[in-house]
C-alpha cells in the first residue's frame, strides 16, 4: 500500500530518519529542511531560498547534515531546528555521508573532488584522478572507506581515510551512476540512471549489473531494507526492490509524474520516498 502525505514547501528531494525518530527531508526548490513524525503534522525550517538543499543524512553528533548544491555550503541542523552553515569554494556539493572517522564526507560535483568536514566545521578536499567525473552520491563502505558514484566518468570510486582514491570503471556504456549505498551482503549497490540498471560492486571491485524491466525508468536513489535494496525510478514513476541475488520487483506510484527521488526506512519501519511534486509517500507491504 502506498499513501501520500503533503508537506509545506516545494520540491521534496532527499529523505532520512533522524536520531529523534522523525523523518527529515530536503525541499530543493523552496530552500527548506522538513521534519515529519509519522502521524503528526510536518514542520519546515527555512534556508536561503536559492540554496538548493539536496542530500540529508544523520551525523555522528546527533544532528542532521545536508548539502546545499546551489549555495555551495554544507549545512547542519539540530533536532530542535537550529541551523549552522559552512561555506565552501564554489563546488556544487551533492552527496554526503558520515564516515568511519567521525567526519562527514561529501561529493563536489563541479570540481572533481571529494570533501571532508569535521563536526566542528573544518574542511579538506581530495582531488580525483579524473576530470569531468561529476562525483555524485557517497556512502560508507564495509571496508572503512567511502564509496561514491562518478556520474560522468561512468565509474565507481573508493576513497580511504588517507585520501587515496581508486577508480572502478563500469561495464555498461554511459551508465551515469547516481545513488549508492552499502548493502546487506557486504557489497555496495548503486543505480545507473542512463542505462536503467541496478549495479553491485564488491570491495574488491567486481561489478555485476541487473537490468530493470523498464530500461528508461531512470533509477535515482537506493537504500537497504532488510535483506533487499529499494530504489526509486524517477522516469518510471515507480519504486522497486532488488534482492541480493538480483531479482527485481517494481511498484507504480499512485500520482502520475510524481518524480520520486530519495528513499529511506522511516522510524515506523515503513519505506518512505520523497516525491518532488510535493509529497512524501509511505510504502508498506
Amino acid at each position: 500500500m502506498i499513501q501520500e502525505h503533503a508537506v509545506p514547501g516545494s520540491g521534496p528531494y532527499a529523505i532520512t530518519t533522524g536520531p529523534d525518530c522523525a523523518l527529515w527531508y530536503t525541499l530543493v526548490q523552496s530552500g527548506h529542511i522538513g521534519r515529519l513524525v509519522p502521524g503528526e503534522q510536518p514542520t519546515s525550517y527555512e534556508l536561503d531560498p536559492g540554496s538548493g538543499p539536496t542530500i540529508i543524512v544523520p551525523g555522528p553528533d546527533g544532528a542532521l547534515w545536508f548539502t546545499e548544491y546551489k549555495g555551495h555550503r554544507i549545512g547542519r541542523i539540530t533536532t530542535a531546528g537550529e541551523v549552522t552553515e559552512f561555506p565552501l569554494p564554489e563546488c556544487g556539493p551533492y552527496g554526503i555521508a558520515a564516515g568511519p572517522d567521525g567526519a562527514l564526507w561529501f561529493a563536489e560535483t563541479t570540481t572533481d573532488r571529494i570533501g571532508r568536514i569535521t563536526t566542528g566545521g573544518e574542511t579538506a578536499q581530495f582531488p580525483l584522478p579524473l576530470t569531468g567525473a561529476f562525483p555524485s552520491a557517497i556512502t560508507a563502505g564495509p571496508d572503512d572507506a567511502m564509496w561514491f558514484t562518478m556520474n560522468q566518468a561512468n565509474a565507481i570510486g573508493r576513497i580511504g581515510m588517507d585520501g587515496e582514491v581508486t577508480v572502478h570503471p563500469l561495464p555498461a556504456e554511459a551508465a551515469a551512476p547516481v545513488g549508492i549505498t552499502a548493502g546487506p551482503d557486504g557489497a555496495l549497490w548503486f543505480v545507473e540512471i542512463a542505462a536503467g540498471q541496478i549495479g553491485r560492486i564488491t570491495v574488491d571491485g567486481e561489478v555485476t549489473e541487473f537490468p530493470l524491466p523498464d530500461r528508461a525508468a531512470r533509477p535515482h536513489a537506493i537504500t537497504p531494507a532488510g535483506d533487499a535494496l529499494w530504489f526509486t525510478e524517477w522516469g518510471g514513476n515507480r519504486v522497486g526492490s532488488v534482492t541480493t541475488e538480483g531479482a527485481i520487483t517494481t511498484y507504480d506510484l499512485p500520482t502520475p509524474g510524481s518524480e520520486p527521488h530519495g528513499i529511506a526506512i522511516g522510524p515506523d519501519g515503513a519505506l518512505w520516498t520523497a516525491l518532488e511534486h510535493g509529497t512524501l509517500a509511505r510504502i508498506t507491504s
Side-chain angles (χ1 to χ4, degrees):
M1 181 171 64
I2 301 176
Q3 299 172 314
E4 290 189 30
H5 300 265
V7 294
S10 179
Y13 192 81
I15 190 167
T16 194
T17 294
D20 56 345
C21 294
L23 290 160
W24 289 80
Y25 52 96
T26 57
L27 293 143
V28 67
Q29 295 175 17
S30 60
H32 291 82
I33 300 296
R35 178 183 183 271
L36 174 67
V37 175
E40 299 182 8
Q41 291 299 309
T43 304
S44 64
Y45 302 94
E46 187 175 359
L47 307 173
D48 172 359
S51 61
T54 46
I55 306 302
I56 186 167
V57 296
D61 57 350
L64 288 300
W65 288 73
F66 56 93
T67 52
E68 297 182 23
Y69 182 77
K70 295 181 180 179
H72 309 292
R73 291 183 290 260
I74 301 297
R76 176 185 185 271
I77 185 168
T78 68
T79 54
E82 182 181 348
V83 175
T84 308
E85 295 170 306
F86 303 95
L88 300 170
E90 189 168 314
C91 63
Y94 184 79
I96 188 170
D101 58 347
L104 288 298
W105 292 71
F106 56 94
E108 300 184 359
T109 59
T110 61
T111 57
D112 295 315
R113 298 184 304 196
I114 298 298
R116 177 184 183 272
I117 185 168
T118 68
T119 54
E122 297 178 6
T123 60
Q125 281 78 28
F126 303 92
L128 301 180
L130 303 173
T131 58
F134 205 85
S136 300
I138 189 167
T139 194
D143 56 347
D144 290 331
M146 305 302 290
W147 289 73
F148 55 96
T149 52
M150 289 183 277
N151 182 264
Q152 297 301 308
N154 213 55
I156 303 298
R158 176 191 185 274
I159 184 167
M161 296 300 95
D162 58 357
E164 182 178 351
V165 176
T166 305
V167 175
H168 300 282
L170 295 177
E173 293 184 10
V178 185
I180 188 169
T181 193
D185 57 349
L188 289 304
W189 288 74
F190 57 94
V191 298
E192 300 178 2
I193 191 169
Q197 299 187 132
I198 305 298
R200 176 185 185 270
I201 184 169
T202 67
V203 294
D204 296 324
E206 180 181 349
V207 176
T208 309
E209 294 169 314
F210 303 99
L212 294 174
D214 177 6
R215 299 297 289 275
R218 300 186 70 78
H220 182 81
I222 188 166
T223 194
D227 58 358
L229 291 301
W230 282 75
F231 56 90
T232 53
E233 293 186 1
W234 175 65
N237 204 55
R238 290 180 288 259
V239 295
S241 67
V242 58
T243 68
T244 53
E245 290 77 33
I248 293 171
T249 307
T250 59
Y251 305 87
D252 292 328
L253 292 169
T255 302
S258 58
E259 297 187 43
H261 288 289
I263 189 168
I265 293 288
D268 56 353
L271 276 160
W272 289 76
T273 183
L275 309 180
E276 198 171 349
H277 81 128
T279 67
L280 305 181
R282 183 178 186 269
I283 304 151
T284 56
S285 57

